[in-house]
Amino acid sequence: MAGIPEGRKVGRAAVNAVRALFEEHDHIVQEIDGQNDFGEDLYVTFSEDGQTTGDVVKIQVKGGTSWKRANGYAVPVRQHSDTWAEGNIPVLCVVYDPDTYGLYWANATAQLRRARREGEERATIGISANARLDASTLDAFVTEVRDYVGRFRGMRAIHTRLGEMAGVEFAPSDVVMHFVNEHDEVLVFWRRLGEHGATLLHSDLDWEPQYVTPGSLTLVGGRVPAFGDLILDPSEIMWLLACFQATEAASLLAASEKEGEGDIEEEGEHGDIGAEVLDGLVFERILERIEAEPGLVERSVKVLRDQTLSAELMRDLEVLESDPEVVREVMDVARSNVDEMSDEGRRLLVIYLVDRILVGGPAEDHVRIVWTIPEPGKQ
């Protein structure tokens, strides 16, 4: 009698684990014919309050230890690059690790589209070891994925396309408006509610962000608003001023609500401390701890993976940990090479080691770092 290949058993266990998790929480799972390699194994339709929603994703499921990497897991893209990146339904990759009986996930469509914006093609989908999918993380997972699906409907579809053109990502609460001038150049007005100014993204400036305020757009003494070699014409100025006027009431309301939240702790960057000074101070303290405590980075990573992380932080880790070179930079960091680290490496190092930074005043001694692992003797 013919035996059943071990790989098939693990693959079946992987699909069953994913199906069981979603169905246990009332989401609808439809399995795709396993005889055809279309790059997807399941359709999942999300539900809410006992009712199905219109939010659907495809899932590619992989099972086994062969997908494991030093910093997580990796799923090969192979011939599925175009369908995963440009299809009408987003595709997720989920890996089942039989050693831990755990599921780990990544948004394949988001990774491929992000890489294409940067002129690259990904050969694999990187999955962070922090991106665990289980009953405790499912609600956050569903919220994040449904938000991503929503980006491709209605006005959010336009905003998503504008963001891809400009190489930025807009939050759902951001106000985004666009204008096409007589030269077919695209201008994007991007305002975070609660802020006085806004960001101008202009195709003729290669989408380099420009900070604008109503005052900077006002013609005084014949001065014409300009950014580098670009001079805004009257129609562009009038459009930007109209955008400010249309969003001013909502922005003021958001600012007043933020002020009314109260100060639980004096967090954030103080106005009198420059970003470069603060960054240099934080990295000096990081280096001091790394030198004093060998293995600190590895221990911090383990602690972080046992914590429940926010959706925003999980997205950051998904992107950063999917690049082996960035992970290598972090694991090999030392005072002798920290100046050569990429921005991505520095960001990942801070995520691993620092929980948050509290700034209570303009002086350096008012900066307090809350570490992922408390300093010895300060637990």
Side-chain angles (χ1 to χ4, degrees):
M1 298 178 66
I4 300 175
E6 186 64 29
R8 186 180 186 279
K9 290 195 294 184
V10 176
R12 190 66 244 168
V15 171
N16 289 341
V18 176
R19 174 190 282 276
L21 176 64
F22 284 115
E23 290 185 342
E24 182 181 353
H25 292 82
D26 297 327
H27 303 296
I28 310 303
V29 180
Q30 293 175 287
E31 193 166 343
I32 300 171
D33 183 2
Q35 300 300 314
N36 299 301
D37 185 14
F38 296 127
E40 301 99 25
D41 297 295
L42 304 171
Y43 282 100
V44 175
T45 302
F46 296 112
S47 67
E48 183 176 27
D49 298 329
Q51 301 292 321
T52 59
T53 69
D55 296 330
V56 180
V57 293
K58 298 177 184 178
I59 299 182
Q60 165 85 110
V61 183
K62 295 292 186 183
T65 57
S66 61
W67 316 108
K68 201 164 189 174
R69 301 294 183 268
N71 58 313
Y73 304 85
V75 175
V77 176
R78 298 194 179 113
Q79 74 272 25
H80 308 304
S81 180
D82 287 339
T83 54
W84 286 4
E86 306 299 339
N88 295 325
I89 300 177
V91 178
L92 312 179
C93 288
V94 176
V95 169
Y96 171 74
D97 188 335
D99 288 343
T100 64
Y101 301 103
L103 297 171
Y104 304 84
W105 75 282
N107 187 329
T109 298
Q111 285 194 24
L112 292 171
R113 291 170 77 102
R114 189 182 302 115
R116 289 186 174 190
R117 286 200 303 266
E118 298 170 357
E120 302 174 356
E121 286 288 338
R122 294 191 68 102
T124 60
I125 300 302
I127 302 179
S128 168
N130 291 298
R132 186 143 187 165
L133 180 59
D134 56 26
S136 68
T137 64
L138 188 64
D139 286 347
F141 163 87
V142 171
T143 298
E144 179 178 345
V145 174
R146 288 189 63 194
D147 177 72
Y148 186 80
V149 172
R151 297 179 189 183
F152 302 95
R153 286 200 298 264
M155 283 300 298
R156 289 197 66 192
I158 298 174
H159 294 172
T160 298
R161 179 56 182 153
L162 290 170
E164 290 177 345
M165 290 168 58
V168 300
E169 189 169 308
F170 305 119
S173 59
D174 293 345
V175 175
V176 181
M177 303 179 183
H178 76 287
F179 173 80
V180 181
N181 66 19
E182 60 180 327
H183 306 293
D184 289 328
E185 297 164 345
V186 180
L187 290 74
V188 177
F189 174 90
W190 175 17
R191 190 176 193 182
R192 296 181 177 90
L193 293 182
E195 295 187 358
H196 173 61
T199 299
L200 169 64
L201 302 167
H202 199 303
S203 62
D204 197 40
L205 290 173
D206 294 327
W207 304 111
E208 185 68 28
Q210 307 292 332
Y211 184 74
V212 293
T213 64
S216 70
L217 298 169
T218 304
L219 296 174
V220 178
R223 177 179 60 81
V224 179
F227 301 96
D229 295 330
L230 175 70
I231 297 177
L232 297 177
D233 66 30
S235 64
E236 294 170 335
I237 296 169
M238 293 301 297
W239 173 74
L240 285 167
L241 289 172
C243 289
F244 274 113
Q245 184 175 15
T247 60
E248 190 63 17
S251 190
L252 288 173
L253 177 61
S256 64
E257 289 176 348
K258 185 176 181 180
E259 290 175 359
E261 289 175 356
D263 295 326
I264 299 174
E265 287 185 278
E266 292 183 319
E267 291 193 51
E269 182 181 326
H270 192 280
D272 292 334
I273 296 185
E276 291 185 4
V277 173
L278 185 62
D279 184 64
L281 177 63
V282 170
F283 264 85
E284 177 58 31
R285 294 188 183 174
I286 284 175
L287 291 172
E288 290 173 355
R289 279 207 69 184
I290 288 175
E291 291 170 340
E293 301 173 50
L296 175 66
V297 176
E298 291 85 350
R299 289 188 290 115
S300 291
V301 171
K302 291 179 181 178
V303 170
L304 193 69
R305 286 175 179 164
D306 289 335
Q307 297 177 355
T308 300
L309 306 179
S310 68
E312 181 180 3
L313 190 56
M314 284 300 308
R315 282 194 294 269
D316 283 348
L317 284 170
E318 176 190 336
V319 173
L320 296 169
E321 292 186 330
S322 67
D323 188 334
E325 182 61 26
V326 171
V327 175
R328 186 197 62 76
E329 283 186 329
V330 172
M331 295 305 173
D332 295 342
V333 66
R335 189 177 295 276
S336 60
N337 61 24
V338 69
D339 291 337
E340 300 170 6
M341 288 186 75
S342 64
D343 290 341
E344 292 79 6
R346 295 171 73 91
R347 169 67 176 152
L348 183 57
L349 180 62
V350 171
I351 289 176
Y352 282 160
L353 297 183
V354 177
D355 180 72
R356 60 190 184 278
I357 301 170
L358 308 181
V359 182
E364 291 186 2
D365 59 358
H366 290 166
V367 176
R368 182 165 68 90
I369 297 175
V370 179
W371 302 91
T372 302
I373 296 179
E375 293 179 271
K378 297 185 179 181
Q379 285 89 341

